Amino acid sequence: MNPSEITFSVVIPAYNESEMVQYCYNKITPILEAKFKNSYEIVFVDDGSKDQTYLELKKIANNDTKVKCIILSRNFGKEAAMSAGLFHTKGKFISVIDCDLQDPPEIMINMYDYLLEQNCDVVYGVRTERLGETFLKKLTANLFYRFIGKLSIVEIPRNTGDFRVMKKEVVVAINELVETQRFMKGIFAWVGFNQVKFEYRREARVSGTSKFNFVKLWNFALEGITSFTDIPLKVATYLGFFLSISSIFIMFSYIIKYLIVGDKIQGFLTLLISILFIGGVQLMFLGIIGEYLGRTFFESKRRPVYIAKEKMNIK
Ligand code: UDP
Ligand code: MG
């Protein structure tokens, strides 16, 4: 083994987590030390926090060179923050964990052991229970995973977050992807490799509040769907086809009725409803095309995934 190479890296994205970073560091270090001695690093990514997170991180990084920090120039979102962290890891094995420690850090070690035991490339955490989360969040999360599970070009495991342990090869593959809009759950699955699940209980947040609100989650869901499937676009084709065929049938049935029975063709309401219906369908699919087009537009700019304004303990 290359002497400068280390065994384990932990990536921790943090956005407005000033109450959590020190706690998280205190909690994780002894666990890593017990398992890996000095052969580990913790890579914190400050995702443009507006609170004291930066100062807290600086304090930690000044005292411990095994703590690396990447300070992003603004809030780029958790997906970009994770990407930034993964990009800077040096370990042979790499883990991603949230700063709020909802995913118990001891499990990280269990997942690592399991990875070696199973001789696989990735061990991802599957939540059997989610404590401290509202019914609505659980329900929408569940629906979303079900929906994307059906549509996505790759299988995205259900009840799986970003919490996982990966071999370096997998992270190298992830780092090579150039897309700027990164739906990491999809990317983790897309790169393939031999992935094995590990079940655990997800705890409630120790302190602070969730950084995701409804709008953020909605956009996240859209991102996931548009990045990993083009089925919504295809639906337009088939629905359009179906509507045209049925309208031809309806037209003929009216003509025949008129010729045979001599029925006067009536139906102001029918006309109104069909115009509204078809107008609605068209607008909806214009919107869906717009979602994809907008993403192509942003992707075509080839902007970097994130901008780091400062790095600590990184050469
Ligand atoms: N996070 C981030 N950037 C964001 C939002 C969240 O880096 O824009 C981090 C956050 O600090 C935490 C992790 O992502 O470490 C998960 O966030 P949170 O706990 O709010 O999500 P939840 O557990 O509610 O899904
Ligand atoms: Mg959380």
Side-chain angles (χ1 to χ4, degrees), residues 17 98 100-102 133 137 202 205 209-211:
E17 301 278 9
D98 287 354
D100 57 6
L101 299 189
Q102 274 186 284
E133 288 181 13
K137 173 142 189 202
R202 190 167 212 232
R205 226 175 206 282
T209 52
S210 173
K211 306 294 176 279

Side-chain angles (χ1 to χ4, degrees), residues 175-243:
N175 290 343
E176 272 170 13
L177 298 183
V178 292
E179 62 217 77
T180 48
Q181 294 153 80
R182 297 171 89 83
F183 178 67
M184 291 306 280
K185 285 183 194 20
I187 288 179
F188 285 140
W190 185 87
V191 291
F193 291 92
N194 187 3
Q195 311 208 6
V196 175
K197 73 173 175 187
F198 188 97
E199 292 188 340
Y200 72 102
R201 247 165 61 118
R202 190 167 212 232
E203 306 293 333
R205 226 175 206 282
V206 180
S207 173
T209 52
S210 173
K211 306 294 176 279
F212 288 94
N213 51 30
F214 181 74
V215 176
K216 264 195 171 180
L217 284 175
W218 172 253
N219 286 329
F220 179 68
L222 268 186
E223 189 69 61
I225 292 163
T226 49
S227 311
F228 280 87
T229 172
D230 60 352
I231 288 181
L233 289 173
K234 291 192 175 131
V235 170
T237 317
Y238 295 109
L239 188 67
F241 189 68
F242 170 76
L243 286 178

Side-chain angles (χ1 to χ4, degrees), residues 26-252:
N26 292 345
K27 203 82 187 186
I28 286 187
T29 335
I31 295 173
L32 293 175
E33 218 135 71
K35 182 77 185 174
F36 303 107
K37 306 277 181 307
N38 274 331
S39 194
Y40 71 88
E41 63 178 358
I42 302 177
V43 183
F44 275 105
V45 184
D46 177 2
D47 186 16
S49 300
K50 293 175 186 71
D51 63 357
Q52 307 291 308
T53 303
Y54 170 77
L55 296 175
E56 293 286 327
L57 286 178
K58 189 148 196 141
K59 234 171 24 193
I60 299 172
N62 279 342
N63 288 321
D64 186 349
T65 52
K66 290 200 286 307
V67 174
K68 325 256 155 103
C69 298
I70 302 141
I71 314 297
L72 303 190
S73 60
R74 65 170 168 84
N75 179 237
F76 279 87
K78 186 184 176 190
E79 313 300 299
M82 271 192 292
S83 305
L86 290 177
F87 197 77
H88 286 87
T89 52
K90 295 259 185 296
K92 277 173 51 181
F93 298 90
I94 293 135
S95 179
V96 180
I97 190 168
D98 287 354
C99 195
D100 57 6
L101 299 189
Q102 274 186 284
D103 309 308
E106 315 79 69
I107 304 280
M108 215 157 55
I109 305 297
N110 300 346
M111 294 207 294
Y112 168 77
D113 288 336
Y114 195 59
L115 189 147
L116 296 184
E117 187 190 308
Q118 297 285 314
N119 196 18
C120 56
D121 303 305
V122 178
V123 171
Y124 59 89
V126 172
R127 306 149 179 171
T128 52
E129 262 180 84
R130 304 164 72 129
L131 300 178
E133 288 181 13
T134 60
F135 172 74
L136 195 67
K137 173 142 189 202
K138 282 188 228 176
L139 180 78
T140 46
N142 202 336
L143 283 178
F144 170 67
Y145 285 123
R146 223 173 242 249
F147 186 64
I148 194 148
K150 289 250 172 353
L151 295 189
S152 170
I153 43 172
V154 284
E155 198 181 324
I156 297 176
R158 282 173 64 185
N159 288 322
T160 302
D162 305 310
F163 186 38
R164 60 194 56 232
V165 175
M166 298 171 276
K167 274 192 183 159
K168 193 188 186 89
E169 296 90 287
V170 181
V171 173
V172 168
I174 292 170
N175 290 343
E176 272 170 13
L177 298 183
V178 292
E179 62 217 77
T180 48
Q181 294 153 80
R182 297 171 89 83
F183 178 67
M184 291 306 280
K185 285 183 194 20
I187 288 179
F188 285 140
W190 185 87
V191 291
F193 291 92
N194 187 3
Q195 311 208 6
V196 175
K197 73 173 175 187
F198 188 97
E199 292 188 340
Y200 72 102
R201 247 165 61 118
R202 190 167 212 232
E203 306 293 333
R205 226 175 206 282
V206 180
S207 173
T209 52
S210 173
K211 306 294 176 279
F212 288 94
N213 51 30
F214 181 74
V215 176
K216 264 195 171 180
L217 284 175
W218 172 253
N219 286 329
F220 179 68
L222 268 186
E223 189 69 61
I225 292 163
T226 49
S227 311
F228 280 87
T229 172
D230 60 352
I231 288 181
L233 289 173
K234 291 192 175 131
V235 170
T237 317
Y238 295 109
L239 188 67
F241 189 68
F242 170 76
L243 286 178
S244 322
I245 297 283
S246 24
S247 64
I248 289 173
F249 273 114
I250 294 169
M251 188 176 79
F252 273 115

